[in-house]
Amino acid sequence: MKTFSIRTTIYTMILSAKNVGSVIILALFLFSSCEEPGNIDLGMNQDDRLEIKLQSFTLDGSQTFFDSINTRNQTIIMAGRYQDGTFGEVEANAFAQLGLVNLNRFLPESAVFDSVRLELFIDFFHGNDFSSPQSFSVHKLSEPIYDSLPYFASSTATYESEVLGEVNKTFIPGIDSIFTIKLDNDFGLDFFTKAKESAIEFITNASFKDYFNGLAVIPGANNDKSVLGFNLQDERSRLVLYYRTETDTLEYDFTFRGQNHFSNVEFSPQGSILQNLTVPYEDVDVGTDKFYSQSGTGVVNKIDFSQLKVLLDTLENFKVNLAELEISVDESSEFLKAPNSILFYYVGSDDKVVNVGGTVGSIQLDGGNQLGGSTPAQLFYDSSSKKFKGSVTGYVQAVADGRVPYLEVFVLPGRFGSSLNRMIIDQSAIKLNVYYTIVNE
C-alpha cells in the first residue's frame, strides 16, 4: 500500500497588488528553496488581493522495469559485459551497417593492399574494474538491419560464426579513446579488389548494402567487468582499408554515419537486489528503502503525484507560481555516477507509457503543451549537491486545471537507449515544493 508524507509550510500574506513589488522579495526570501524572484509569475490584476503559500510533499513511488527499449539509430552502440550485486548481469552486443564515404571513389592501378582495421571512438566506459583485459570479436552480419523494422534492446541480428578479428586488451578510461581491431586480410582484400576494379557494389550505398550487411561486435567469454559505448557519429568511428602506392601508405574509409545500427542489451537480475523484477511493468517490492533506475536495461522507478491532486482539488481561485521537483541520489561509489539528466513519462491505465496522438506522453517544459508536446522537461544533475532539481510548474498547473489526468510518471535516466546510466534514490528523497497564490477578490 502506498503512503504519502506532506510537509506544509504556509507563508501567508494578504496584500494589495499595488504593494507586491516591495513585499514579494521578502516572501521569496522566506521561501528558501525558491528560484529568482523574476521567475515567480503572480498573474494578478491591479486590484486583486492574494495569499502566497508554499506546500511541500514527499512523493511516493514504486519499482518496475520496461521490456521494450528503443536502441535503433541512437548514435551509440554498446558491447561488453559486467556483473554486480545491485543490478545483476548486463551483456551488450553491437550491430551496425556501413556506408561509402565517397561515391564512385576507386583505387589507382598502382595500389597494393596492406591491411584493414575497425576503429570505433569510445564514448563511455561502464563498469567497476578496468584493470583486467577484455576480449571482443568482430563478425559479418548474415542479415541486414532493415530500414522498416524497429529494433529494441531485446532485438538481435544473426551473424556469421567466422571471426573477422579479435582483440584482448585492458581498456583504461582517460587513456584509451579508440577501439581498434585488425580484421582478416581475405575480408579486406575482397573490399580492396572491388574498390580497385570499380565494382558495381561500390558505386552507390544501396548497392554496397546489398553486398555487405554490416558488422557485429561481440564480447568474449572473459568479459565480466565492463561495457564500452561507441559513438558511431564521430568521424573517428570507421572501417579503414590501408593500401600502398609507390610513395605512400594511404587510407580508404567506410563510415557508420547515417547508417542503421542498434544494441542488444540482455539484463539478468538473478542473484542481485533486483532479482524480483521478473514481470515487465509490474510494481515490485525489492526489499530495500531505495528505488533503482538504469538506461539500456529498462529498470525504472515511478513517482506518484496523487497526493498533490488531493491538495489542488481543495483550492479555488489559485495559480501555481512555481512547482519544483527535487530528487536526491545515492552516489556512494564511483560505479554509481548519476546520469546528466532525467525525464518523466506518463503512466497509463495499462501501467505502460502513454501514447498521445502518436507521441510519447511526458512532462513538458514550462509553457509547452503538457499533453502531446514535443519538448520534454529534463531535470539536470548537480554533482555538488547530488540532486536533480528543476521546475515542473507547467505539469502541476495542467493537473490543477484538469488538462492532464496522469498522476504517475516513469523516471527515465537520460540516454535511455544508448547508455547504461544508472542511479539509486532513497524512497524518502523525492520532494515537491509547490508555491501558489490564492487570489481573493
Side-chain angles (χ1 to χ4, degrees):
M1 182 178 69
K2 295 181 179 179
T3 58
F4 302 89
S5 172
I6 306 176
R7 178 175 59 86
T8 305
T9 307
I10 302 180
Y11 299 92
T12 303
M13 292 187 179
I14 307 297
L15 59 143
S16 164
K18 298 176 183 178
N19 299 320
V20 167
S22 59
V23 180
I24 191 64
I25 294 176
L26 174 60
L28 295 173
F29 175 76
L30 295 173
F31 301 158
S32 59
S33 63
C34 187
E35 295 191 352
E36 294 297 322
N39 291 337
I40 302 297
D41 176 15
L42 292 177
M44 54 180 289
N45 297 319
Q46 182 73 8
D47 295 328
D48 290 340
R49 294 171 62 81
L50 56 83
E51 298 178 40
I52 305 170
K53 297 188 177 185
L54 160 65
Q55 191 135 18
S56 297
F57 302 83
T58 298
L59 299 178
D60 201 359
S62 54
Q63 184 70 57
T64 187
F65 80 102
F66 290 178
D67 64 349
S68 298
I69 304 165
N70 177 30
T71 63
R72 176 188 173 90
N73 298 346
Q74 297 286 312
T75 301
I76 306 295
I77 55 173
M78 299 177 282
R81 185 187 301 106
Y82 79 90
Q83 184 168 9
D84 73 82
T86 301
F87 284 82
E89 180 177 282
V90 173
E91 178 178 331
N93 303 287
F95 305 95
Q97 287 181 321
L98 285 157
L100 302 172
V101 174
N102 296 302
L103 302 181
N104 294 305
R105 178 195 169 194
F106 300 105
L107 299 178
E109 281 295 324
S110 61
V112 177
F113 174 75
D114 182 86
S115 62
V116 59
R117 297 177 185 273
L118 174 64
E119 299 176 357
L120 299 172
F121 176 69
I122 303 175
D123 181 85
F124 68 81
F125 299 75
H126 185 91
N128 55 4
D129 183 355
F130 300 101
S131 63
S132 305
Q134 303 291 290
S135 63
F136 297 87
S137 61
V138 177
H139 306 256
K140 286 196 291 187
L141 291 180
S142 52
E143 64 174 304
I145 302 176
Y146 296 97
D147 292 335
S148 59
L149 292 183
Y151 287 89
F152 302 101
S154 57
S155 303
T156 189
T158 57
Y159 56 89
E160 298 180 6
S161 59
E162 179 184 359
V163 175
L164 291 181
E166 293 180 290
V167 65
N168 188 48
K169 174 179 169 27
T170 301
F171 293 92
I172 303 174
I175 296 178
D176 293 299
S177 59
I178 303 295
F179 172 94
T180 302
I181 298 182
K182 184 182 183 301
L183 301 183
D184 179 70
N185 279 344
D186 289 341
F187 166 74
L189 190 57
D190 180 53
F191 270 36
F192 173 81
T193 302
K194 285 181 169 55
K196 190 173 180 179
E197 294 178 350
S198 305
I200 190 172
E201 292 90 344
F202 280 37
I203 292 177
T204 67
N205 266 314
S207 61
F208 178 71
K209 283 195 250 186
D210 285 341
Y211 154 67
F212 183 67
N213 291 318
L215 295 172
V217 181
I218 308 299
N222 70 325
N223 274 39
D224 59 2
K225 298 293 193 301
S226 64
V227 172
L228 303 182
F230 308 116
N231 187 334
L232 296 190
Q233 297 306 306
D234 192 283
E235 62 183 9
R236 289 165 288 186
S237 292
R238 57 184 186 155
L239 180 74
V240 192
L241 279 178
Y242 292 92
Y243 66 94
R244 301 187 306 274
T245 64
E246 294 179 355
T247 57
D248 296 299
T249 298
L250 302 173
E251 301 175 356
Y252 185 104
D253 292 356
F254 301 83
T255 184
F256 293 100
R257 298 169 97 176
Q259 308 305 316
N260 292 331
H261 55 271
F262 74 97
S263 298
N264 162 251
V265 182
E266 299 178 6
F267 166 59
S268 302
Q270 289 77 13
S272 74
I273 288 175
L274 302 179
Q275 63 183 350
N276 291 334
L277 290 179
T278 57
V279 180
Y281 305 103
E282 181 178 277
D283 290 353
V284 172
D285 182 358
V286 297
T288 74
D289 60 353
K290 312 286 186 182
F291 291 133
Y292 305 84
S293 295
Q294 183 172 37
S295 298
T297 64
V299 176
V300 295
N301 70 279
K302 294 190 285 189
I303 294 177
D304 193 327
F305 286 88
S306 296
Q307 194 64 26
L308 166 68
K309 185 67 163 59
V310 173
L311 166 69
L312 297 177
D313 287 346
T314 66
L315 302 177
E316 295 182 0
N317 300 323
F318 74 98
K319 179 182 177 69
V320 178
N321 305 124
L322 176 67
E324 189 174 61
L325 186 60
E326 179 180 294
I327 301 175
S328 299
V329 173
D330 178 353
E331 197 182 40
S332 57
S333 73
E334 285 300 306
F335 192 37
L336 280 174
K337 286 187 175 179
N340 291 330
S341 64
I342 53 176
L343 302 92
F344 307 93
Y345 287 12
Y346 298 144
V347 181
S349 57
D350 60 355
D351 291 324
K352 297 183 179 181
V353 175
V354 170
N355 187 303
V356 182
T359 302
V360 173
S362 64
I363 294 179
Q364 300 288 297
L365 291 175
D366 293 344
N369 178 7
Q370 297 295 323
L371 200 61
S374 57
T375 55
Q378 297 184 69
L379 265 60
F380 291 94
Y381 186 62
D382 181 354
S383 58
S384 60
S385 66
K386 301 189 185 308
K387 291 180 180 180
F388 292 95
K389 185 177 180 180
S391 173
V392 290
T393 307
Y395 166 71
V396 171
Q397 186 67 62
V399 169
D401 296 342
R403 290 180 286 118
V404 172
Y406 306 110
L407 299 178
E408 272 194 311
V409 296
F410 292 110
V411 182
L412 271 64
R415 295 173 61 174
F416 196 59
S418 61
S419 76
L420 292 171
N421 288 336
R422 63 192 207 156
M423 62 182 182
I424 299 176
I425 302 168
D426 287 329
Q427 291 185 5
S428 61
I430 306 173
K431 310 292 185 181
L432 178 67
N433 296 317
V434 180
Y435 304 85
Y436 60 97
T437 54
I438 303 293
V439 179
N440 302 313
E441 296 185 358

